[in-house]
Amino acid sequence: MSNPSTGASSKSKLASSQPSETSFKRKRGVFQKDLQHMMYGFGDDPNPLPETVALVEDIVVEYVTDLAHKAQDIGSNRGKLSVEDFLYLIRKDLPKLNRATELLSMQEELKQARKAFEVDEEKLGTLE
Amino acid sequence: MKQSKDPFEAALEEQEESPPDSPVGEDELNSQIPNEAQNQTNGGQNILLDDDDDYDELGPTIKNPSHPSSSSTPKLHSASVNASIAAAVTNKNKEYDDDEEEENVDVELSKFPSSADPTKMAKMQAILSQFTEDQMSRYESFRRSALQKSNMRRLLVSITGSQKISLPMTIVVCGIAKMFVGELVEKARMVMTERKESGPIRPCHIREAYRRLKLEGKVPKRSVQRLFR
């Protein structure tokens, strides 16, 4: 099991100057810090066991990978990947679907709000 | 007074730039309470926006659940969360001439109250006011934790091989993944109570939870077996 190439990419977070096309290079502990807080929020101990966090991270990465692959299959008809593909995939899971649409609408609102503020600031700038 | 760093804005910046452990947000929350004492009554409308506050981009400002600086009472915690939102509302009106370099700074949170349901918010207020400190810190972790968008984007790029991952897509996938983590952890806790065990969740519980989720069909099945890891 001694594979020098995977050893190099294990914990080091390289600045991704070249995008890796295949998912073989998986850096461990990418989501570790966030996952610890998230697991506490959802009911785990304030300090979750590191092996538990690592396992959850693996499962989540696998979940996202499967989701993205399926979305890509769906989106390949259109030619590119879009958000609707993901929404279609989780259509059966109502809580997730509602949450996703809520996030999208909030992001739109924030975008509009930022745009509105920039316009206001310009106006104020010209006034002064 | 220069209030260029709203907690939510600070969280937005932190998400982009610095490591998430910077205590800026914490200080901001505490410093905004004296400003907003008078807004507490007003707060019923625009506070603790159940769904809207949840916006994960706002990031984990307060990292340590047992952080001592906001150590007093759960009232303070809820007050601080209230205050920050109320403060942000008034902030927008005060701070037009502020000279801000950062791009993500001006989040107009005054939009949120209109889309929230007042009865639901009143209910949330009633529940939250009765939280113990432990419960409050856990709830805070729940609301503020999020997967980093940059990491998620990198992962998606490496999976799909395409560089064109839009921001909404990253946000949606982060949200979906967070809910998935929630399902996993909750089911693992259920497994633990069935087996009458206690303490931190162990990998065996997670594996059992994952197996059960697969049986329920909540995990997308891969049509092709992944042979080499």
Side-chain angles (χ1 to χ4, degrees), chain B residues 142-178:
Chain B
F142 162 65
R143 290 291 284 259
R144 288 171 173 271
S145 65
L147 298 174
Q148 288 235 346
K149 285 189 297 220
S150 47
N151 289 337
M152 187 58 78
R153 187 173 185 283
R154 210 179 298 152
L155 177 64
L156 282 174
V157 163
S158 76
I159 294 172
T160 62
S162 129
Q163 285 287 351
K164 293 209 196 115
I165 305 287
S166 59
L167 182 63
M169 196 180 309
T170 317
I171 294 177
V172 164
V173 174
C174 281
I176 295 177
K178 177 173 176 182

Side-chain angles (χ1 to χ4, degrees), chain A residues 38-44, chain B residues 138 142 178-179 181-182 185-186:
Chain A
M38 205 183 284
M39 286 173 70
Y40 171 59
F42 278 119
D44 198 359
Chain B
R138 200 183 280 271
F142 162 65
K178 177 173 176 182
M179 293 190 68
V181 171
V185 172
E186 285 172 5

Side-chain angles (χ1 to χ4, degrees), chain B:
Chain B
M1 109 187 79
K2 183 161 169 56
Q3 268 186 334
S4 65
K5 287 244 185 174
D6 216 23
F8 292 99
E9 299 163 2
L12 270 173
E13 292 158 36
E14 281 176 9
Q15 197 77 345
E16 316 283 325
E17 303 156 8
S18 59
D21 282 327
S22 51
V24 176
E26 182 68 46
D27 295 336
E28 271 313 300
L29 278 180
N30 288 336
S31 68
Q32 296 206 350
I33 292 165
N35 295 343
E36 302 312 318
Q38 68 271 23
N39 275 354
Q40 284 302 318
T41 52
N42 177 26
Q45 283 302 323
N46 52 357
I47 305 181
L48 282 182
L49 314 155
D50 189 24
D51 306 313
D52 306 315
D53 192 25
D54 240 350
Y55 189 51
D56 285 328
E57 180 168 88
L58 303 178
T61 331
I62 300 182
K63 289 304 264 189
N64 193 349
S66 54
H67 196 109
S69 75
S70 55
S71 60
S72 31
T73 61
K75 279 259 156 74
L76 186 61
H77 260 291
S78 61
S80 60
V81 178
N82 293 348
S84 59
I85 303 183
V89 172
T90 57
N91 221 10
K92 169 79 172 75
N93 303 330
K94 282 191 274 186
E95 300 301 302
Y96 273 118
D97 49 350
D98 234 355
D99 191 31
E100 281 133 354
E101 317 83 14
E102 305 96 358
E103 22 169 80
N104 297 328
V105 182
D106 306 289
V107 177
E108 186 178 314
L109 293 170
S110 57
K111 286 240 180 174
F112 289 159
S114 53
S115 48
D117 183 14
T119 51
K120 205 163 155 198
M121 274 198 312
K123 255 194 246 176
M124 276 305 293
Q125 273 288 79
I127 296 175
L128 281 165
S129 57
Q130 298 186 358
F131 268 3
T132 65
E133 189 163 333
D134 191 36
Q135 289 173 326
M136 197 62 199
S137 90
R138 200 183 280 271
Y139 182 67
E140 200 164 16
S141 275
F142 162 65
R143 290 291 284 259
R144 288 171 173 271
S145 65
L147 298 174
Q148 288 235 346
K149 285 189 297 220
S150 47
N151 289 337
M152 187 58 78
R153 187 173 185 283
R154 210 179 298 152
L155 177 64
L156 282 174
V157 163
S158 76
I159 294 172
T160 62
S162 129
Q163 285 287 351
K164 293 209 196 115
I165 305 287
S166 59
L167 182 63
M169 196 180 309
T170 317
I171 294 177
V172 164
V173 174
C174 281
I176 295 177
K178 177 173 176 182
M179 293 190 68
F180 181 67
V181 171
E183 285 175 0
L184 261 183
V185 172
E186 285 172 5
K187 220 174 214 9
R189 272 293 178 201
M190 277 173 48
V191 167
M192 276 183 89
T193 54
E194 283 175 21
R195 298 187 191 174
K196 302 207 186 20
E197 293 169 353
S198 64
I201 298 182
R202 299 205 300 275
C204 59
H205 306 131
I206 300 274
R207 280 195 212 102
E208 173 64 20
Y210 184 56
R211 189 188 69 92
R212 291 193 194 177
L213 282 179
K214 267 203 271 201
L215 287 176
E216 286 177 21
K218 298 213 170 155
V219 177
K221 277 196 282 250
R222 34 178 65 241
S223 43
V224 180
Q225 281 287 347
R226 188 195 247 177
L227 295 170
F228 309 105
R229 289 214 181 203

Side-chain angles (χ1 to χ4, degrees), chain A residues 7 24 30 34 42 54 64 67-68 86 88 106 108 114 119:
Chain A
F24 291 133
V30 181
D34 309 314
F42 278 119
V64 169
L67 210 61
F86 285 101
Y88 174 76
M106 256 205 290
E108 266 309 306
R114 278 184 213 135
V119 171

